[in-house]
Amino acid sequence: MKSSSIITRMLRHEWLPLLLMAIAAIIVLALISNSFLSTYNLFVMLRILSVTSLVALSQMVVIAIGQMNLAVGAIGGLVAILFGAMLEIYGVPIPAAIVAAVSIGLLCGALNGLLIAWTKINGFIITLAMLSVFTGLTYGITKSIPFYNMPQALKAAYDSYLGPVPTILFIPVLAALGVGFILNWTRIGRHMLAMGGNPAAAELAGISTTRTMIFTHMLSGGLAGIAGVVAVARLGTAEPSIGADWLLASFAAPVIGGAALAGGHVSVVGTMIAVVLVILLENGLLLARTNPFYVQFFLGALILLAVLFNQWRVQQAEARRASSRAVLT
Amino acid sequence: MSALLTVSGVSKRYPGVLALDRVNLRLQAGEIHALVGENGAGKSSLIKILTGVISPDEGEILLTGKPMRFSTPRESLAAGIAVVHQERNLIPRYSVAENIFLDRLPTRYGVVQRWRMQDEARRWLDVLELDVDPATPVRYLSVAQMQLVEIGRALSLESKVLLLDEPTASISEHEVARLMGVLRRLRDQGTGILFVSHKLEEIINLCDRITVLRDGQNVCDAQPLAGMNKDDIVTLMVGREAAVTELGARAATIGSCRLELTGVATAAGHKNINIKAHAGEIVGLYGLVGAGRTELAKALIGLDRITEGEVRIEGQPVRIHSPLEALRRWRLGYVSEDRKGEGLILSHSVTRNTAITVWHRLRRVGAFIWGSLEKDFIRPLMGRLDVRAPGLDHAVGNLSGGNQQKVAVAKWLAADTRVLIVDEPTVGVDVRTKGYLHQLLWKLADEGTAVLLITSELAEMIQLADRIYVMNGYRIVGEIANSHDYDEMSEALMQIIQNDNDVRTRPVRAREEVEGHHV
């Protein structure tokens, strides 16, 4: 009884087709390539996942309120080099540097949110401007030279195991649980989705859309900041170019995962599966020795396919809606 | 009389349900034909088929004897069927004139002739006596003004067939009367008009014949309306006698003063507004389109600035800066006239839409919200309002209009307000739902809420209100106790507005329009 209800609940979820697709991709890749399931290759993918999952969530929360944060990568980059500077130049202890770095991310996000609130200018333009502001700061501070001397302890922590499990597996899991919890179980999360669904209705119902918006951008900045820190740990250097290539994946994953770009509806699980799917695609192309320059091409094709599939699914739901409406009255 | 538009045996099946089951409709030239039925009876599907939005599965449509098959709205329009849809279909940033002539902008050498277009638009606005500048962007108009613009647009097509789907849903009695005059004139010139409305008084006044749908089937087909009364139509619609209970007079127990406005002026343009509403009282705010009623409500909940005067809630002077403050601090709520635009989050569940006003009170542990807590809270409300949804997790957008409106109201019941402003509470809902909502407002007042009722439907106002303020040109121009006698009250209210218009040499224009000139 219980198990059947779990299965029916699973079937209702929109991310199920994605999950099946990911599983199919894993099976296919395992069959065609011996090296796919090697510990080394799995670890390579896990390392990418540790950063990309955070980037995707960072964008997803802003999509939830019906806005966009083009500065996700720029915030990540700025946080990364400031984190590197703290460690290399000022010798700040790693935990303190992490806290400070993530706070900088929160601050950058808050700045985005406040600017949008004050100016009442579209978030797209504000974050586009801030993308340039943050990136400019990053390159200005570093003069484009990475901080190379990261403490050994940072690398070691990144590559450590908790029992049999690599520590970095906890990053996407905890981040997804955290964001999922906020969206589904807290007041502010409800406010975010309500605002994304219909800002006018949310405001009339006594929700402060300004506060909700600023909180969301802070959350986004914080997640981007964590992504920056993790990226430094992963690379072992704090490079100013960190974050430069995050934008595409940041939108691709939430959208493939079933988010409504207009806001009001996002799927944490869907987004995480989509991140995995994107990584599998890249990995598969790599294993198949495809010209790496074509990876972008295939990623684009994947996004198009996913969006078309989503649209088809929404139309199916519309047809059901029309029939249930007729029944109801 | 010749058959202008014939629908015969049209069926439309959606997965799992037959929305239309061999439906017939015979519209003749030079008649106003009523199409009625409860929400979900199939009216909307039929209109969508006639306007090319959806295609029928079987059946035939003949226009002046020729079989037609529309696959896009454009084809239907080109064939000579003009329509005013229930939903607004205007482009907010375009001017009134541009919206009216959207698909046939007058051009010379490929350049839009702005002045000619505005002159022609003016003509149609004058027919409807809508006093707005054709150059005003539509987004500055009130909902009612927008509706009149859509009607103007349909009229300007001068087509053989005119479909009107709830054209009077958000316009006031005065404009309804004017619209009826226009429609009668068109009928006499030979236009075939299909008139869909929930307002049976209008149908009896205006229409010649009637087609009734119930559960996707014809209950009657082009029956002459002469000799039929409201009850006959209701019986046809719902299939049994006396589904509508006319409320009698309510003995209001008036308590202390909940809301008091003294000499209030707003940034929207209101001048010297004096209003009182007591606990247990339903206070009406009546006025024509553009009188400033909705705008006053919005200023009260903090969406617009109050520039002068004093607002008191339960005797305390208040300054409200946001709807959040209005709700949490002063328990003042506003049920919007625009259900889809401002009232509901259509993609979200019934539960979330209803509980939205109480999330801040649902706190038990920190800021966490448990789904079950929410549901326990709203379940009694759903029962009380008789909301029919397959489940509380069902998206509100999937419900019928009447049930959507119930949810929009339910969320304010949940909020447990002390002053509730209700703006056009029964727009586009069927008779039965309307009855529920009316009873509900009464109960709310009986329980001690001060209800400020804004409605353009005179019958509703006279039925529900204890006292009525009349608003005109952003001022209060009169106050009368409600005798609940329709003829007496309608005359008295109209008289007040007429007198005020006579006094003023030139009507004070709505703020939107003045703004429109500057933008």
Side-chain angles (χ1 to χ4, degrees):
Chain A
M1 188 69 203
K2 187 77 187 166
S3 70
S4 81
S5 85
I6 286 172
I7 290 167
T8 43
R9 276 176 63 184
M10 288 259 301
L11 284 172
R12 273 216 316 254
H13 282 294
E14 56 189 359
W15 43 260
L16 191 76
L18 274 181
L19 184 65
L20 296 178
M21 225 160 111
I23 291 171
I26 289 172
I27 293 172
V28 170
L29 285 172
L31 287 177
I32 56 176
S33 166
N34 294 328
S35 47
F36 175 69
L37 285 178
S38 69
T39 323
Y40 173 77
N41 192 46
L42 290 178
F43 222 90
V44 165
M45 288 193 288
L46 195 54
R47 292 168 74 92
I48 303 171
L49 180 70
S50 68
V51 177
T52 310
S53 57
L54 290 164
V55 172
L57 290 172
S58 166
Q59 189 67 263
M60 192 197 75
V61 293
V62 185
I63 292 176
I65 64 164
Q67 295 189 357
M68 293 177 185
N69 183 4
L70 300 182
V72 165
I75 294 174
L78 183 61
V79 168
I81 63 112
L82 291 177
F83 180 60
M86 279 188 275
L87 294 176
E88 184 177 317
I89 302 178
Y90 301 103
V92 180
I94 295 172
I98 291 177
V99 171
V102 175
S103 306
I104 292 164
L106 289 170
L107 212 69
C108 293
L111 196 60
N112 280 344
L114 286 171
L115 279 172
I116 298 168
W118 279 332
T119 60
K120 303 205 189 310
I121 293 171
N122 191 313
F124 181 90
I125 294 299
I126 297 285
T127 57
L128 180 67
M130 295 312 283
L131 154 75
S132 187
V133 167
F134 294 140
T135 310
L137 274 178
T138 303
Y139 282 98
I141 292 168
T142 57
K143 301 188 181 67
S144 193
I145 302 160
F147 294 99
Y148 288 110
N149 301 319
M150 294 297 107
Q152 270 310 309
L154 186 68
K155 273 307 272 173
Y158 185 81
D159 290 325
S160 67
Y161 281 78
L162 265 171
V165 190
T167 312
I168 52 170
L169 185 62
F170 289 97
I171 296 170
V173 172
L174 289 179
L177 284 177
V179 171
F181 182 77
I182 289 173
L183 284 176
N184 293 308
W185 298 93
T186 68
R187 229 182 336 148
I188 188 76
R190 295 297 174 88
H191 289 183
M192 286 164 65
L193 290 168
M195 177 184 170
N198 185 343
E203 173 146 38
L204 280 182
I207 288 171
S208 167
T209 46
T210 312
R211 259 183 248 170
T212 307
M213 199 262 298
I214 293 171
F215 171 85
T216 306
H217 277 279
M218 279 184 77
L219 181 61
S220 175
L223 287 163
I226 301 174
V229 169
V230 174
V232 172
R234 178 183 151 204
L235 297 170
T237 54
E239 292 177 16
S241 65
I242 285 172
D245 58 351
W246 289 359
L247 195 64
L248 184 66
S250 85
F251 280 106
V255 169
I256 293 172
L261 269 183
H265 177 80
V266 292
S267 164
V268 176
V269 181
T271 302
M272 297 312 276
I273 298 173
V275 172
V276 171
L277 209 56
V278 169
I279 294 172
L280 286 173
L281 176 83
E282 290 174 349
N283 194 257
L285 293 172
L286 202 73
L287 293 176
R289 298 191 191 288
T290 316
N291 178 348
F293 293 114
Y294 278 120
V295 168
Q296 289 243 356
F297 170 86
F298 285 106
L299 183 56
L302 177 69
I303 296 172
L304 275 177
L305 272 175
V307 174
L308 283 173
F309 174 73
N310 265 344
Q311 189 192 28
W312 174 79
R313 210 189 51 210
V314 169
Q315 280 164 356
Q316 293 299 43
E318 285 285 323
R320 272 200 304 278
R321 169 190 293 194
S323 65
S324 66
R325 183 155 39 208
V327 169
L328 276 173
T329 48
Chain B
M1 286 205 289
S2 59
L4 180 59
L5 177 69
T6 313
V7 170
S8 54
V10 160
S11 297
K12 177 69 189 176
R13 183 184 295 277
Y14 290 111
V17 78
L18 202 53
L20 292 174
D21 184 8
R22 283 159 294 159
V23 164
N24 299 323
L25 176 77
R26 286 174 288 150
L27 175 69
Q28 301 191 327
E31 75 160 343
I32 304 179
H33 193 120
L35 175 63
V36 300
E38 286 194 280
N39 289 336
K43 293 168 305 190
S44 301
S45 298
L46 185 56
I47 292 204
K48 280 184 187 162
I49 286 174
L50 289 175
T51 54
V53 178
I54 55 176
S55 305
D57 296 332
E58 55 181 89
E60 204 179 26
I61 299 167
L62 299 172
L63 188 64
T64 56
K66 284 187 293 259
M68 291 283 164
R69 196 144 190 108
F70 309 124
S71 47
T72 65
R74 207 182 157 77
E75 288 173 25
S76 153
L77 205 63
I81 299 180
V83 63
V84 176
H85 282 289
Q86 204 176 346
E87 297 86 21
R88 302 282 70 81
N89 291 296
L90 299 172
I91 300 174
R93 281 176 188 275
Y94 279 24
S95 72
V96 169
E98 283 165 331
N99 269 290
I100 290 179
F101 295 108
L102 197 56
D103 54 334
R104 56 214 148 94
L105 296 170
T107 58
R108 167 173 288 174
Y109 313 121
V111 178
V112 174
Q113 292 174 293
R114 186 177 286 266
W115 306 118
R116 202 180 115 206
M117 175 176 75
Q118 285 176 1
D119 286 347
E120 280 178 35
R122 176 86 267 160
R123 229 179 81 214
W124 294 106
L125 298 179
D126 284 345
V127 166
L128 293 164
E129 289 177 47
L130 177 60
D131 184 25
V132 301
D133 186 323
T136 312
V138 158
R139 65 184 163 135
Y140 292 120
L141 304 185
S142 68
V143 171
Q145 288 170 324
M146 289 187 202
Q147 181 140 26
L148 288 170
V149 170
E150 293 222 43
I151 294 170
R153 174 179 160 74
L155 295 182
S156 74
L157 292 163
E158 298 177 86
S159 18
K160 288 172 282 189
V161 178
L162 183 58
L163 306 185
L164 300 162
D165 192 359
E166 299 279 354
T168 61
S170 55
I171 62 180
S172 69
E173 217 74 11
H174 189 65
E175 285 117 358
V176 171
R178 192 171 300 141
L179 176 65
M180 285 189 175
V182 175
L183 295 181
R184 288 198 184 98
R185 213 155 56 233
L186 284 174
R187 168 189 61 190
D188 297 341
Q189 290 162 13
T191 309
I193 300 169
L194 188 67
F195 188 80
V196 182
S197 179
H198 283 305
K199 297 183 187 170
L200 303 180
E201 293 92 351
E202 288 174 8
I203 286 173
I204 289 171
N205 276 334
L206 182 69
C207 301
D208 306 305
R209 294 191 306 161
I210 185 168
T211 294
V212 181
L213 296 183
R214 191 198 311 154
D215 301 329
Q217 293 179 322
N218 278 99
V219 179
C220 77
D221 174 10
Q223 191 172 324
L225 254 170
M228 282 175 83
N229 63 27
K230 231 169 104 173
D231 291 340
D232 298 334
I233 301 178
V234 170
T235 308
L236 285 172
M237 278 166 64
V238 299
R240 59 186 152 81
E241 211 80 42
V244 266
T245 45
E246 291 275 337
L247 302 173
R250 184 181 72 105
T253 331
I254 309 291
S256 60
C257 186
R258 280 279 168 82
L259 176 72
E260 184 176 6
L261 277 63
T262 328
V264 164
T266 69
H270 297 89
K271 293 272 171 333
N272 193 26
I273 304 283
N274 297 294
I275 285 179
K276 273 185 176 185
H278 302 84
E281 191 180 28
I282 299 178
V283 177
L285 196 53
Y286 186 76
L288 303 183
V289 167
R293 297 163 302 165
T294 298
E295 291 79 0
L296 179 65
K298 292 206 165 162
L300 282 176
I301 56 167
L303 286 177
D304 208 341
R305 254 176 336 110
I306 289 176
T307 50
E308 272 172 52
E310 196 176 49
V311 178
R312 282 172 181 268
I313 290 179
E314 306 204 321
Q316 262 182 288
V318 300
R319 275 250 169 263
I320 295 172
H321 303 95
S322 68
L324 178 137
E325 200 184 338
L327 170 66
R328 302 235 187 130
R329 188 133 174 241
W330 304 107
R331 294 283 191 73
L332 166 66
Y334 168 67
V335 183
S336 172
E337 62 178 328
D338 183 358
R339 176 166 74 222
K340 287 183 180 165
E342 301 181 341
L344 296 168
I345 303 169
L346 294 175
S347 61
H348 286 193
S349 68
V350 173
T351 307
R352 289 209 171 177
N353 269 287
T354 313
I356 188 167
T357 55
V358 294
W359 284 336
H360 66 282
R361 286 195 284 140
L362 278 180
R363 239 186 321 183
R364 288 294 185 277
V365 189
F368 308 152
I369 295 169
W370 267 267
S372 61
L373 209 65
E374 242 178 353
K375 280 184 189 150
D376 291 345
F377 197 95
I378 67 154
R379 208 165 268 129
L381 294 171
M382 295 296 110
R384 188 169 163 189
L385 277 167
D386 191 36
V387 174
R388 294 190 203 169
L392 295 178
D393 293 326
H394 210 71
V396 163
N398 295 4
L399 305 182
S400 66
N403 282 309
Q404 283 183 7
Q405 185 66 20
K406 286 181 191 168
V407 174
V409 173
K411 102 175 151 193
W412 288 104
L413 289 191
D416 193 20
T417 51
R418 287 182 292 199
V419 181
L420 189 60
I421 308 171
V422 187
D423 199 351
E424 306 288 357
T426 59
V427 167
V429 304
D430 61 41
V431 242
R432 206 186 315 199
T433 309
K434 202 179 214 173
Y436 271 117
L437 289 167
H438 285 175
Q439 277 175 16
L440 188 80
L441 290 177
W442 267 20
K443 265 192 237 159
L444 262 182
D446 285 342
E447 288 164 15
T449 309
V451 178
L452 190 60
L453 173 70
I454 300 172
T455 173
S456 299
E457 202 186 330
L458 203 45
E460 183 166 270
M461 182 61 88
I462 292 164
Q463 167 122 69
L464 292 175
D466 298 310
R467 211 151 42 84
I468 301 172
Y469 289 102
V470 182
M471 196 171 221
N472 198 26
Y474 285 63
R475 291 165 309 126
I476 298 289
V477 295
E479 177 192 348
I480 38 176
N482 190 355
S483 68
H484 299 283
D485 179 302
Y486 185 85
D487 296 329
E488 183 192 322
M489 287 302 294
S490 59
E491 203 186 312
L493 290 169
M494 283 305 150
Q495 199 61 52
I496 292 174
I497 295 172
Q498 214 49 58
N499 287 346
D500 185 60
N501 283 340
D502 292 345
V503 168
R504 296 185 298 166
T505 45
R506 186 179 150 274
V508 172
R509 289 196 165 182
R511 168 219 186 201
E512 300 97 294
E513 204 190 321
V514 177
E515 259 191 14
H517 285 298
H518 296 302
V519 171

